[in-house]
Amino acid sequence: AAGVIQSPRHLIKEKRETATLKCYPIPRHDTVYWYQQGPGQDPQFLISFYEKMQSDKGSIPDRFSAQQFSDYHSELNMSSLELGDSALYFCASRRRAQGNYGYTFGSGTRLTVV
Amino acid sequence: DQQVKQNSPSLSVQEGRISILNCDYTNSMFDYFLWYKKYPAEGPTFLISISSIKDKNEDGRFTVFLNKSAKHLSLHIVPSQPGDSAVYFCAADRGTDKLIFGTGTRLQVFP
């Protein structure tokens, strides 16, 4: 079965650079979520989209922005990167009509800021 | 403010025995709870969930128990297998679009 695809798997950037993370949800999933997991921490919700509109927002810095496109894939744009942005970034998707049962995570993008 | 807590950062269990992972929450508005398993460098994998209208849900070797009055849930794995060694996260939802995760428990199953 198709899963949530995230790219790239690994990314190394320097401070003050920008980064773009991509997420391709499971086909027919209409909702996408972004989470950030720092070293030794639990995943923290950043932002979500339903039918290409932002549906909820968590602890996402103003330096970050995200959107969901017409094909339902989503991109997380991160600017003026800081060392503290180094983390695993997970994308999850679900089909809202399925409720929480279909909440599926991708393998994540490991961002390292040096 | 950690709304979902897993107070045991690690647990070590012998193969074949029962593993019990605990999770406590503070927000009574949570109405759905999920358990995820996570290997290093991989995304969380869904294991089992439970709605707040139930007190038990079972799926193969995995059973989740919910005690709403105590705001406590637990995941039982029996029998435990070496392949179960991973970090386990409980997560809670209150009908919004986001999951609130616990801090995780690292389970090690030894032969």
Side-chain angles (χ1 to χ4, degrees), chain A residues 61-89:
Chain A
D62 291 340
R63 300 177 288 108
F64 295 6
S65 65
Q67 57 182 324
Q68 186 180 29
F69 294 86
S70 58
D71 63 352
Y72 294 98
H73 95 271
S74 178
E75 294 184 5
L76 177 66
N77 298 295
M78 311 159 73
S79 62
S80 302
L81 286 169
E82 301 173 355
L83 295 178
D85 296 329
S86 296
L88 267 171
Y89 290 84

Side-chain angles (χ1 to χ4, degrees), chain A residues 19 26 36 44 55 65 68 70 77 79 83-84 100 104 107 111:
Chain A
I26 291 173
Q36 177 193 57
Q44 294 289 322
S55 55
S65 65
Q68 186 180 29
S70 58
N77 298 295
S79 62
L83 295 178
N100 277 306
T104 304
S107 295
L111 172 66

